[in-house]
């Protein structure tokens, strides 16, 4: 196959941890040609979506790629276009999904589908599965959030567009910075945020569960918070521990997998704390390399094999 990865700048990708690098390496091992571009390099000419594409020689060591050729190509010339640009889901990200949507109309296969990247906010998507979530409020009103805090006493508040634990705070009734935090996150009542009851099971990890084209990867990656931290995100200093899915993990995953496949979410990253679903990640779910290194289950090979099958 001929695969195009839409990624952040190549020089900034970390070969020892980034799932996008693992995907590219797996593709090359399976005999496929790998190209890369950035969202800002996607454009439309005469109604056809193109991109400035770099053909890559992908390697196994830390010096992991060489650009062997550059050319402007129509996206429908590729067997698959894999959208792996990291959030925030800002106006530039949304415009890129519109251009990728035009590519779909030209005949390109884009993973994940551009419409699902727009339609399913990674925080709000959990509201489709109320039986699996902790008490949750979405609001820009500090008074409403204060009432939610008074009811639950210990909550997590977070913006709706960030990743990697950015902007997440734990609030209690005695927090002297409570009002300032809510003013900042809601932009003084101008932007909705999510509040959820604090889940003490975070001490055992924020579990990442991966779904690939409707199939559940049998290992979760528990991100364990460092001492004094409430966020398990690896970007916030969490420690990664691969572990088998619990009965509850599998129940959640197997309920969501058909929904994800039906909506064109080829790769999904579920976040589960204790028995509760906290996020459904659709932009650039990660965890491939840590799971593979600790268990021997080659998640990237499973991903590329699923593209081959599709």
């Amino acid at each position: 196959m001929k695969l195009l990865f839409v990624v952040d700048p190549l020089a900034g990708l970390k070969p020892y941890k980034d799932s996008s690098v693992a995907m590219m390496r797996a593709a090359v091992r399976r005999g496929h040609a790998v190209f890369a571009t950035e969202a800002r390099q996607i454009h439309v000419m005469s109604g056809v979506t193109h991109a400035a594409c770099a053909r890559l020689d992908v390697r196994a060591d830390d010096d992991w790629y060489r650009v062997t050729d550059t050319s402007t190509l129509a996206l429908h010339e590729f067997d698959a276009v894999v959208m792996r640009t990291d959030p925030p889901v800002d106006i530039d990200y949304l415009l890129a999904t519109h251009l990728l949507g035009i590519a779909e109309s030209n005949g390109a296969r884009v993973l994940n589908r551009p419409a699902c990247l727009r339609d399913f906010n990674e925080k709000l998507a959990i509201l489709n599965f109320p039986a699996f979530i902790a008490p949750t409020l979405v609001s820009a009103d500090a008074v409403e959030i204060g009432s939610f805090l008074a009811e639950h006493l210990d909550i997590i508040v977070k913006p709706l567009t960030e990743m990697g634990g950015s902007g997440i705070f734990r609030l209690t009734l005695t927090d002297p910075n409570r009002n300032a935090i809510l003013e900042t996150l809601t932009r003084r009542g101008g932007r909705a945020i999510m509040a959820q009851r604090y889940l003490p099971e975070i001490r055992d990890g924020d579990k990442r569960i991966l779904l690939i084209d409707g199939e559940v990867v049998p290992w979760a990656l528990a991100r364990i918070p460092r001492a004094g931290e409430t966020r398990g995100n690896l970007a916030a200093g969490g420690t990664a521990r691969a572990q088998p899915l619990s009965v509850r993990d599998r129940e959640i995953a197997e309920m969501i997998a058909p929904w994800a496949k039906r909506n064109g979410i080829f790769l999904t990253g579920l976040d589960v704390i204790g028995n509760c679903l906290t996020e459904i990640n659709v932009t650039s779910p990660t965890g491939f390399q840590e799971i593979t290194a600790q268990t021997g289950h080659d998640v990237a090979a499973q991903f590329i094999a699923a593209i081959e099958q599709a």
Side-chain angles (χ1 to χ4, degrees):
M1 299 186 298
K2 187 176 175 183
L3 302 177
L4 176 64
F5 291 83
V6 184
V7 291
D8 294 324
L10 290 170
L13 298 185
K14 300 177 178 62
Y16 61 89
K17 73 178 292 295
D18 276 321
S19 294
S20 297
V21 176
M23 293 173 182
M24 295 182 204
R25 286 171 168 166
V28 169
R29 287 196 305 270
R30 297 174 74 90
H32 307 305
V34 168
F35 294 73
T37 191
E38 297 176 33
R40 64 182 179 84
Q41 296 174 302
I42 301 172
H43 55 280
V44 175
M45 296 188 296
S46 302
V48 177
T49 304
H50 295 73
C53 303
R55 182 162 185 164
L56 302 183
D57 171 21
V58 181
R59 306 174 178 193
D61 56 23
D62 288 343
D63 186 18
W64 68 275
Y65 74 94
R66 290 284 188 277
V67 174
T68 62
D69 185 40
T70 57
S71 55
T72 297
L73 299 171
L75 268 59
H76 67 260
E77 296 180 37
F78 294 92
D79 293 285
V81 177
V82 183
M83 176 56 162
R84 291 287 300 171
T85 302
D86 282 343
V89 180
D90 54 15
I91 188 63
D92 295 323
Y93 189 102
L94 291 173
L95 288 173
T97 69
H98 286 290
L99 298 182
L100 290 170
I102 295 170
E104 273 194 322
S105 70
N106 301 150
R109 178 188 288 275
V110 183
L111 311 172
N112 291 328
R113 290 197 64 205
C116 88
L117 295 174
R118 291 192 298 274
D119 291 348
F120 299 112
N121 174 278
E122 298 186 318
K123 310 298 190 292
L124 298 178
I126 66 171
L127 300 177
N128 290 285
F129 302 94
F132 294 140
I133 67 175
T136 297
L137 170 72
V138 179
S139 177
D141 189 324
V143 174
E144 288 183 347
I145 300 169
S147 296
F148 184 81
L149 173 59
E151 178 182 359
H152 297 288
L153 306 180
D154 195 351
I155 67 172
I156 293 291
V157 290
K158 54 188 173 182
L160 299 176
T161 58
E162 298 294 334
M163 62 166 284
S166 178
I168 294 178
F169 292 88
R170 180 181 177 184
L171 293 183
T172 63
L173 285 172
T174 59
D175 192 325
N177 296 309
R178 179 181 67 191
N179 293 336
I181 289 169
L182 294 180
E183 285 176 5
T184 300
L185 288 182
T186 66
R187 299 188 178 182
R188 294 185 176 273
R191 175 172 291 182
I193 64 172
M194 178 171 281
Q196 293 174 308
R197 187 188 69 200
Y198 174 71
L199 297 169
E201 296 89 345
I202 185 63
R203 63 180 179 271
D204 299 318
D206 181 356
K207 294 173 285 187
R208 167 60 52 84
I209 301 169
L210 296 167
L211 312 176
I212 298 175
D213 197 24
E215 296 294 322
V216 180
V217 174
W219 297 90
L221 188 70
R223 283 102 25 110
I224 314 296
R226 64 184 178 184
E229 178 62 81
T230 59
R231 300 170 298 171
N233 309 75
L234 301 184
T239 301
R241 182 184 69 207
Q243 60 192 43
L245 300 186
S246 69
V247 172
R248 176 66 166 179
D249 293 341
R250 185 164 289 280
E251 178 189 7
I252 293 171
E254 290 182 350
M255 179 63 71
I256 296 174
W259 171 87
K261 186 177 176 73
R262 186 167 62 249
N263 284 289
I265 310 173
F266 192 84
L267 174 62
T268 315
L270 309 179
D271 288 350
V272 175
I273 299 174
N275 291 323
C276 294
L277 175 70
T278 60
E279 292 188 16
I280 300 178
N281 295 273
V282 301
T283 52
S284 56
T286 190
F288 283 38
Q289 297 218 45
E290 294 86 353
I291 291 174
T292 300
Q294 294 183 37
T295 71
H297 182 94
D298 194 334
V299 184
Q302 180 181 347
F303 179 78
I304 299 300
I307 296 178
E308 294 168 354
Q309 183 65 33

